[in-house]
Amino acid sequence: MPSSAVPARRVTAAMVAERAGTSIATVSLVVNGKDRGRVSAPIAARVRDAVDELGYVVDHAASSLARGTGDLVVLIAPDLSNPFFAEVIRGVRDTLGDRYQLVLSVTERGAQPATSDLRRFERLRPAGILVDAPAAGGSLDAAVPVVLLDAPDAPTGAVAVDYDLTSGVAELVAHLRERGHERVAYLDGTARVATFGVRHRLFQEACAAAGITVSELGARADLTVDAAAAATEHALEAWHEDGVTAVVAAADTLAYGVLRVAAATGLRVPEDLAVAGFDDLPSSSVTAPALTSVALPGAELGRAAALRLLAAVDGTAAEPVALPTRLVRRASTGG
Amino acid sequence: MPSSAVPARRVTAAMVAERAGTSIATVSLVVNGKDRGRVSAPIAARVRDAVDELGYVVDHAASSLARGTGDLVVLIAPDLSNPFFAEVIRGVRDTLGDRYQLVLSVTERGAQPATSDLRRFERLRPAGILVDAPAAGGSLDAAVPVVLLDAPDAPTGAVAVDYDLTSGVAELVAHLRERGHERVAYLDGTARVATFGVRHRLFQEACAAAGITVSELGARADLTVDAAAAATEHALEAWHEDGVTAVVAAADTLAYGVLRVAAATGLRVPEDLAVAGFDDLPSSSVTAPALTSVALPGAELGRAAALRLLAAVDGTAAEPVALPTRLVRRASTGG
DNA sequence: CTGAAAGCGCTTACAG
DNA sequence: CTGAAAGCGCTTACAG
């Protein structure tokens, strides 16, 4: 039989009640664990048996309609392909436990989560919504608890978890300084995400403080290796003429593009051009050469966000946080 | 105001009906586009105005309860962090259009989607479920249409879309043969996924046919760079003593681990050891050296799967497919 | 063309 | 301790 051709009959609470010789109300109490002191032990046992025998599962639509809210938690993110998110998801899931069911949603290619995405998911009556790297400036309130991840421009009062990039950036700039770089270029992302703005700004400030000049000849690209490679190809000669000896990219993925072009044009990394990124993706240890990067611990971000969502669901307040970051030195900057 | 502290009031069809001076039934017809010839133009217009003014959105729980099914499509996958999935997702989304809303679910770390995952999502009354790389042997029927992706062992009759790996593997083996390899090792994945079994088997068969010996000293690892590196470290010396000159990994991620260990131990790739993988991930063009890989076109897989799900939803039958694959030659095997 | 009403499958006071 | 009943917000015959 085709697995999709013979829809099994849906088992309802009424069927369970009939089999257990009791009422629907009692079934509901038992399956929701609200039977303590409300249902006698023998009846509860009969209900549980019937549930097992019939394979009953509470219908989500009916339940969340009656209750007003369900057990779904939605995580909206711009780009799940970034291995960084696997970590975030793991962190969220671990803290959510199995009282809640996590589902993910990716925005259209390149777009940041916006209010419209939130609206679309409010319909589902989720217990809460997590939004990663929301579009800058959008008002993101909803009829359900919302926690923002990596949203340094979140409006005051919004529940948000962020990275404190100052430590990581300071280490990066000190490292570049140590390696003798005096003139560097910055390869930014094109996405209008606040965290990119912060990375760029902090980097500029730290360079200024350390006496490093950031070349006017910055470039920007979509968050793909190909786009970054194209942007680099375009800018490389100008960088060289401008005396640039190092490129810092707003994300590891962008830095990969720089590495690819360097390899293709015979440029030695780090001797001719040092390269560094942000994220410290797993693959950054196997690029040619291995990539120096400001590590952004994804699982911790996910954990912190989930904790705050749970608090919001319970009506408890939670302080915003900023997680510390650090530099991972590798061959692309001479270790 | 905290974005999560002041839940906006939910707008219902009753509120829209009152504002438009009509009934709930009429509102339902209009918002669902079923008003042609059933609702007069002026009333329909008033309803639409009221919808806009109030920002009404049909409640998903109520709607799918009344209708029996909703507009959600669930994609269950073992590992979204693999950039391969970004492509699959893009393909699914593009063909689904916006009549359906796609949500994703990742299984617990390392686990393949199983029947229990299906059960959990049936509750949501989705229009259909897509399951990528399901656990081998599980019966995966559900009360909703299900399409399997990358499930070469799917029971007859199940709707599945797969890769035809024979062409890609044949090219890979011919390429290795051309480069003079006579003894190779295979680094398998540990996940009990059918597609891995197929890759391994086809590779062995093709090698046998081409007169290449596959070393008994195979290894296996979880689908992470770290795990693959550990497995490689463990096996490397034995491979060398066994006369192995090339390693083929069941996935690019695994091949990355081999590359890392090779680099760390001063082994030259491909001179001392050639390396190849499956997937052709975007980052495979920037590894050290760039990785030869059997390309598995993710977006096409997603598109094919979504098409078949739409057919199943409409009650139409659809033939299973096997998408063609090919080899991408790069430096890790001497191009 | 329009709306009152039944019903989707639950949960939760409420009365017994 | 137990169950009848109202209600969650829709959709869809059905009667007008």
PDB file of all heavy atoms in Angstrom, chain B residues 275-293:
ATOM      1  N   VAL B 275      41.661  12.514  -2.323  1.00  0.00           N
ATOM      2  CA  VAL B 275      40.438  12.528  -1.492  1.00  0.00           C
ATOM      3  C   VAL B 275      39.257  12.970  -2.343  1.00  0.00           C
ATOM      4  O   VAL B 275      39.380  13.890  -3.160  1.00  0.00           O
ATOM      5  CB  VAL B 275      40.603  13.481  -0.294  1.00  0.00           C
ATOM      6  CG1 VAL B 275      39.345  13.463   0.579  1.00  0.00           C
ATOM      7  CG2 VAL B 275      41.835  13.123   0.532  1.00  0.00           C
ATOM      8  N   ALA B 276      38.112  12.325  -2.131  1.00  0.00           N
ATOM      9  CA  ALA B 276      36.891  12.732  -2.821  1.00  0.00           C
ATOM     10  C   ALA B 276      35.692  12.513  -1.911  1.00  0.00           C
ATOM     11  O   ALA B 276      35.763  11.744  -0.943  1.00  0.00           O
ATOM     12  CB  ALA B 276      36.722  11.952  -4.121  1.00  0.00           C
ATOM     13  N   GLY B 277      34.601  13.206  -2.213  1.00  0.00           N
ATOM     14  CA  GLY B 277      33.400  13.073  -1.383  1.00  0.00           C
ATOM     15  C   GLY B 277      32.130  13.001  -2.207  1.00  0.00           C
ATOM     16  O   GLY B 277      32.179  12.844  -3.433  1.00  0.00           O
ATOM     17  N   PHE B 278      31.004  13.121  -1.518  1.00  0.00           N
ATOM     18  CA  PHE B 278      29.690  13.194  -2.157  1.00  0.00           C
ATOM     19  C   PHE B 278      28.987  14.447  -1.639  1.00  0.00           C
ATOM     20  O   PHE B 278      29.042  14.716  -0.433  1.00  0.00           O
ATOM     21  CB  PHE B 278      28.814  11.990  -1.757  1.00  0.00           C
ATOM     22  CG  PHE B 278      29.116  10.719  -2.486  1.00  0.00           C
ATOM     23  CD1 PHE B 278      30.178   9.913  -2.073  1.00  0.00           C
ATOM     24  CD2 PHE B 278      28.336  10.309  -3.553  1.00  0.00           C
ATOM     25  CE1 PHE B 278      30.439   8.717  -2.731  1.00  0.00           C
ATOM     26  CE2 PHE B 278      28.596   9.117  -4.202  1.00  0.00           C
ATOM     27  CZ  PHE B 278      29.647   8.313  -3.801  1.00  0.00           C
ATOM     28  N   ASP B 279      28.310  15.153  -2.505  1.00  0.00           N
ATOM     29  CA  ASP B 279      27.460  16.314  -2.185  1.00  0.00           C
ATOM     30  C   ASP B 279      27.822  17.512  -3.049  1.00  0.00           C
ATOM     31  O   ASP B 279      26.959  18.183  -3.551  1.00  0.00           O
ATOM     32  CB  ASP B 279      27.556  16.789  -0.719  1.00  0.00           C
ATOM     33  CG  ASP B 279      26.724  15.960   0.232  1.00  0.00           C
ATOM     34  OD1 ASP B 279      25.871  15.183  -0.251  1.00  0.00           O
ATOM     35  OD2 ASP B 279      26.930  16.066   1.450  1.00  0.00           O
ATOM     36  N   ASP B 280      29.149  17.777  -3.137  1.00  0.00           N
ATOM     37  CA  ASP B 280      29.630  19.016  -3.734  1.00  0.00           C
ATOM     38  C   ASP B 280      29.052  20.222  -3.016  1.00  0.00           C
ATOM     39  O   ASP B 280      28.348  21.042  -3.598  1.00  0.00           O
ATOM     40  CB  ASP B 280      29.319  19.095  -5.237  1.00  0.00           C
ATOM     41  CG  ASP B 280      29.992  20.321  -5.866  1.00  0.00           C
ATOM     42  OD1 ASP B 280      31.053  20.719  -5.354  1.00  0.00           O
ATOM     43  OD2 ASP B 280      29.446  20.871  -6.826  1.00  0.00           O
ATOM     44  N   LEU B 281      29.350  20.338  -1.750  1.00  0.00           N
ATOM     45  CA  LEU B 281      28.934  21.505  -0.972  1.00  0.00           C
ATOM     46  C   LEU B 281      29.633  22.754  -1.506  1.00  0.00           C
ATOM     47  O   LEU B 281      30.721  22.660  -2.074  1.00  0.00           O
ATOM     48  CB  LEU B 281      29.316  21.321   0.500  1.00  0.00           C
ATOM     49  CG  LEU B 281      28.718  20.127   1.215  1.00  0.00           C
ATOM     50  CD1 LEU B 281      29.137  20.136   2.684  1.00  0.00           C
ATOM     51  CD2 LEU B 281      27.206  20.141   1.106  1.00  0.00           C
ATOM     52  N   PRO B 282      29.015  23.918  -1.297  1.00  0.00           N
ATOM     53  CA  PRO B 282      29.645  25.161  -1.747  1.00  0.00           C
ATOM     54  C   PRO B 282      31.074  25.312  -1.215  1.00  0.00           C
ATOM     55  O   PRO B 282      31.971  25.732  -1.942  1.00  0.00           O
ATOM     56  CB  PRO B 282      28.736  26.239  -1.144  1.00  0.00           C
ATOM     57  CG  PRO B 282      27.400  25.582  -1.034  1.00  0.00           C
ATOM     58  CD  PRO B 282      27.678  24.135  -0.734  1.00  0.00           C
ATOM     59  N   SER B 283      31.292  24.948   0.037  1.00  0.00           N
ATOM     60  CA  SER B 283      32.615  25.130   0.613  1.00  0.00           C
ATOM     61  C   SER B 283      33.651  24.160   0.054  1.00  0.00           C
ATOM     62  O   SER B 283      34.845  24.315   0.291  1.00  0.00           O
ATOM     63  CB  SER B 283      32.540  24.995   2.140  1.00  0.00           C
ATOM     64  OG  SER B 283      31.714  23.924   2.503  1.00  0.00           O
ATOM     65  N   SER B 284      33.223  23.188  -0.706  1.00  0.00           N
ATOM     66  CA  SER B 284      34.169  22.220  -1.250  1.00  0.00           C
ATOM     67  C   SER B 284      35.086  22.831  -2.298  1.00  0.00           C
ATOM     68  O   SER B 284      36.071  22.233  -2.709  1.00  0.00           O
ATOM     69  CB  SER B 284      33.424  21.022  -1.850  1.00  0.00           C
ATOM     70  OG  SER B 284      32.781  20.318  -0.813  1.00  0.00           O
ATOM     71  N   SER B 285      34.773  24.044  -2.727  1.00  0.00           N
ATOM     72  CA  SER B 285      35.656  24.706  -3.687  1.00  0.00           C
ATOM     73  C   SER B 285      36.730  25.517  -2.984  1.00  0.00           C
ATOM     74  O   SER B 285      37.624  26.053  -3.631  1.00  0.00           O
ATOM     75  CB  SER B 285      34.842  25.603  -4.617  1.00  0.00           C
ATOM     76  OG  SER B 285      34.166  26.589  -3.871  1.00  0.00           O
ATOM     77  N   VAL B 286      36.658  25.626  -1.656  1.00  0.00           N
ATOM     78  CA  VAL B 286      37.664  26.422  -0.936  1.00  0.00           C
ATOM     79  C   VAL B 286      38.472  25.630   0.072  1.00  0.00           C
ATOM     80  O   VAL B 286      39.243  26.176   0.838  1.00  0.00           O
ATOM     81  CB  VAL B 286      37.027  27.617  -0.191  1.00  0.00           C
ATOM     82  CG1 VAL B 286      36.562  28.655  -1.190  1.00  0.00           C
ATOM     83  CG2 VAL B 286      35.903  27.177   0.703  1.00  0.00           C
ATOM     84  N   THR B 287      38.280  24.320   0.107  1.00  0.00           N
ATOM     85  CA  THR B 287      39.073  23.543   1.053  1.00  0.00           C
ATOM     86  C   THR B 287      40.507  23.454   0.550  1.00  0.00           C
ATOM     87  O   THR B 287      40.811  23.879  -0.556  1.00  0.00           O
ATOM     88  CB  THR B 287      38.505  22.119   1.191  1.00  0.00           C
ATOM     89  OG1 THR B 287      38.298  21.584  -0.114  1.00  0.00           O
ATOM     90  CG2 THR B 287      37.195  22.133   1.951  1.00  0.00           C
ATOM     91  N   ALA B 288      41.369  22.905   1.366  1.00  0.00           N
ATOM     92  CA  ALA B 288      42.777  22.805   0.995  1.00  0.00           C
ATOM     93  C   ALA B 288      43.161  21.349   0.802  1.00  0.00           C
ATOM     94  O   ALA B 288      43.371  20.648   1.772  1.00  0.00           O
ATOM     95  CB  ALA B 288      43.633  23.413   2.113  1.00  0.00           C
ATOM     96  N   PRO B 289      43.292  20.877  -0.407  1.00  0.00           N
ATOM     97  CA  PRO B 289      42.929  21.555  -1.655  1.00  0.00           C
ATOM     98  C   PRO B 289      41.440  21.414  -1.936  1.00  0.00           C
ATOM     99  O   PRO B 289      40.739  20.720  -1.195  1.00  0.00           O
ATOM    100  CB  PRO B 289      43.738  20.765  -2.687  1.00  0.00           C
ATOM    101  CG  PRO B 289      43.773  19.381  -2.113  1.00  0.00           C
ATOM    102  CD  PRO B 289      43.832  19.543  -0.616  1.00  0.00           C
ATOM    103  N   ALA B 290      40.986  22.070  -3.006  1.00  0.00           N
ATOM    104  CA  ALA B 290      39.573  21.993  -3.398  1.00  0.00           C
ATOM    105  C   ALA B 290      39.192  20.534  -3.603  1.00  0.00           C
ATOM    106  O   ALA B 290      39.989  19.730  -4.081  1.00  0.00           O
ATOM    107  CB  ALA B 290      39.341  22.790  -4.669  1.00  0.00           C
ATOM    108  N   LEU B 291      37.966  20.201  -3.205  1.00  0.00           N
ATOM    109  CA  LEU B 291      37.566  18.799  -3.124  1.00  0.00           C
ATOM    110  C   LEU B 291      36.808  18.280  -4.352  1.00  0.00           C
ATOM    111  O   LEU B 291      35.825  18.878  -4.789  1.00  0.00           O
ATOM    112  CB  LEU B 291      36.682  18.609  -1.887  1.00  0.00           C
ATOM    113  CG  LEU B 291      36.241  17.189  -1.554  1.00  0.00           C
ATOM    114  CD1 LEU B 291      37.428  16.353  -1.112  1.00  0.00           C
ATOM    115  CD2 LEU B 291      35.159  17.221  -0.480  1.00  0.00           C
ATOM    116  N   THR B 292      37.251  17.162  -4.857  1.00  0.00           N
ATOM    117  CA  THR B 292      36.511  16.457  -5.904  1.00  0.00           C
ATOM    118  C   THR B 292      35.294  15.801  -5.263  1.00  0.00           C
ATOM    119  O   THR B 292      35.392  15.227  -4.180  1.00  0.00           O
ATOM    120  CB  THR B 292      37.410  15.375  -6.539  1.00  0.00           C
ATOM    121  OG1 THR B 292      38.442  16.026  -7.282  1.00  0.00           O
ATOM    122  CG2 THR B 292      36.594  14.479  -7.473  1.00  0.00           C
ATOM    123  N   SER B 293      34.138  15.901  -5.931  1.00  0.00           N
ATOM    124  CA  SER B 293      32.924  15.421  -5.278  1.00  0.00           C
ATOM    125  C   SER B 293      31.846  15.034  -6.281  1.00  0.00           C
ATOM    126  O   SER B 293      31.747  15.614  -7.359  1.00  0.00           O
ATOM    127  CB  SER B 293      32.399  16.520  -4.342  1.00  0.00           C
ATOM    128  OG  SER B 293      31.333  16.040  -3.563  1.00  0.00           O
TER     129      SER B 293
END
